[in-house]
Amino acid sequence: MPVTPQVMTCVAEEFLFVVKYVQSLGYPEINWNLGCPYPMVTNRGMGSGLIANPEKIDAILDRVHSETDIIVSMKMRMGYETSHEIIDAFSVLNKYPLKSIGIHARIGKQLYEGGVDLDGFQRCIDHSAHKLFYNGDITSVNGFRQMADRFPSIDHWMLGRGLIADPFLPMMIKENTELYPEDRIERFSKYHNILFSKYEEKLDGEKAVIRKLGNYWEYFANAFQDPDNNIKKIKKMKTIEDYDQLVYKILQTESSLARIDV
Ligand SMILES: Cc1cc2nc3c(=O)[nH]c(=O)nc-3n(C[C@H](O)[C@H](O)[C@H](O)COP(=O)(O)O)c2cc1C
């Protein structure tokens, strides 16, 4: 769609409508997501598809800052086609009092493939006037340490899939330890059971609950032994009894291995 002044006005109006609604609910801040990589969104010039369009970003931020007092923070990829798109966008972003910019160090067209682009993220640090958060592929304490060594000026970090896979990771990063708490399995088990019962309340039928938990296990399994095999088995489960038994076995195996490690 060509970016005519009418289109810009319309998009800014929609954004303002959302901002005012968010404020009416009592929230003082909005996080604007220019990170979505999926074509359904990017082909319409939204998500990471908007990063290459600083004029449109400018039109929206200008109206939001002149017509409301909401605090704006951003979440972005580094571009859709190239990681240099965000560098041009900084000339606009730097004009506004944004609270922070979280950057997933990939470009949209990568989806979740390939690696993160750490040189690209360094360019962002060099060109941005705002507080930046690093985001992308932090899945272990050691991985975090490497990122922290590489980007000493960054003091905010965002975890996505690593956190879903291992809910202990943020605590272990904060405590700078690779050791799990002694009651890891009990705590994980409680967490799992809460998730399970909440989905049981919300979803219709045991198959739907098992399918939903199966999606979580695609992440959880990575923090346990034999992930690929366990994901396959979980995906085949048809009844809650079989699912429960399998999860019990996975957790028991981990628990006995932890005792051997000690
Ligand atoms: C299943 C899934 C759903 C996501 N949903 C959102 C979302 O709604 N909003 C958002 O800003 N990012 C979303 N993300 C992106 C993550 O916030 C994060 O930027 C991305 O996964 C990279 O970080 P990671 O390598 O630590 O996972 C999602 C990611 C995944 C895998």
Side-chain angles (χ1 to χ4, degrees):
M1 192 192 296
V3 186
T4 59
Q6 289 84 349
V7 169
M8 285 209 264
T9 307
C10 184
V11 175
E13 287 294 338
E14 282 173 18
F15 199 94
L16 275 174
F17 177 83
V18 174
V19 165
K20 285 177 181 161
Y21 179 65
V22 164
Q23 285 190 307
S24 76
L25 298 175
Y27 295 102
E29 177 180 340
I30 192 164
N31 182 265
W32 189 18
N33 187 347
L34 270 62
C36 183
Y38 294 109
M40 211 170 73
V41 172
T42 57
N43 286 345
R44 294 162 61 205
M46 300 196 303
S48 59
L50 185 56
I51 300 170
N53 196 336
E55 273 177 48
K56 203 160 157 186
I57 298 173
D58 200 12
I60 292 169
L61 288 177
D62 179 52
R63 296 240 1 228
V64 169
H65 285 97
S66 55
E67 295 177 39
T68 80
D69 60 358
I70 200 154
I71 299 164
V72 182
S73 60
M74 315 260 309
K75 161 88 188 307
M76 305 177 71
R77 290 207 180 201
M78 297 192 294
Y80 184 79
E81 289 288 340
T82 86
S83 64
H84 290 269
E85 290 168 19
I86 195 170
I87 304 301
D88 293 336
F90 281 135
S91 58
V92 165
L93 299 175
N94 287 347
K95 295 195 299 180
Y96 296 96
L98 306 174
K99 184 178 172 195
S100 58
I101 308 175
I103 298 179
H104 176 186
R106 281 191 171 83
I107 50 172
K109 77 172 181 190
Q110 280 182 272
L111 298 173
Y112 286 87
E113 305 295 319
V116 284
D117 174 359
L118 300 183
D119 292 339
F121 185 72
Q122 182 61 51
R123 275 194 299 278
C124 295
I125 296 177
D126 297 340
H127 287 84
S128 175
H130 292 105
K131 175 177 269 302
L132 300 186
F133 298 6
Y134 174 85
N135 171 231
D137 291 5
I138 297 178
T139 56
S140 67
V141 175
N142 197 32
F144 168 75
R145 286 178 186 144
Q146 287 174 20
M147 292 294 183
D149 284 347
R150 170 128 187 198
F151 302 118
S153 65
I154 298 297
D155 59 6
H156 279 62
W157 306 84
M158 178 180 170
L159 277 66
R161 292 162 296 171
L163 169 64
I164 304 175
D166 189 351
F168 295 98
L169 187 56
M171 178 185 79
M172 288 160 70
I173 287 174
K174 278 190 176 168
E175 294 177 0
N176 193 20
T177 177
E178 289 179 82
L179 292 178
Y180 281 100
E182 278 185 16
D183 58 352
R184 171 193 178 193
I185 299 300
E186 289 80 357
R187 282 161 76 173
F188 178 83
S189 180
K190 266 191 202 160
Y191 167 63
H192 169 274
N193 294 347
I194 291 170
L195 268 183
F196 196 99
S197 57
K198 293 288 171 195
Y199 279 120
E200 254 184 333
E201 278 168 30
K202 203 170 151 70
L203 298 176
D204 196 13
E206 64 180 346
K207 285 207 179 103
V209 180
I210 295 170
R211 204 174 315 117
K212 180 57 91 174
L213 268 291
N215 295 340
Y216 277 91
W217 274 101
E218 286 184 29
Y219 295 98
F220 291 159
N222 295 309
F224 296 101
Q225 302 296 314
D226 207 3
D228 294 341
N229 202 16
N230 283 331
I231 292 170
K232 268 191 216 145
K233 284 187 189 162
I234 295 255
K235 295 267 173 192
K236 283 188 192 147
M237 293 296 107
K238 298 247 181 305
T239 66
I240 288 186
E241 288 72 35
D242 289 348
Y243 172 88
D244 278 345
Q245 273 182 20
L246 177 56
V247 170
Y248 182 76
K249 206 169 135 203
I250 295 170
L251 299 186
Q252 280 297 107
T253 307
E254 198 71 25
S255 173
S256 51
L257 286 172
R259 279 199 289 278
I260 293 164
D261 282 350
V262 174

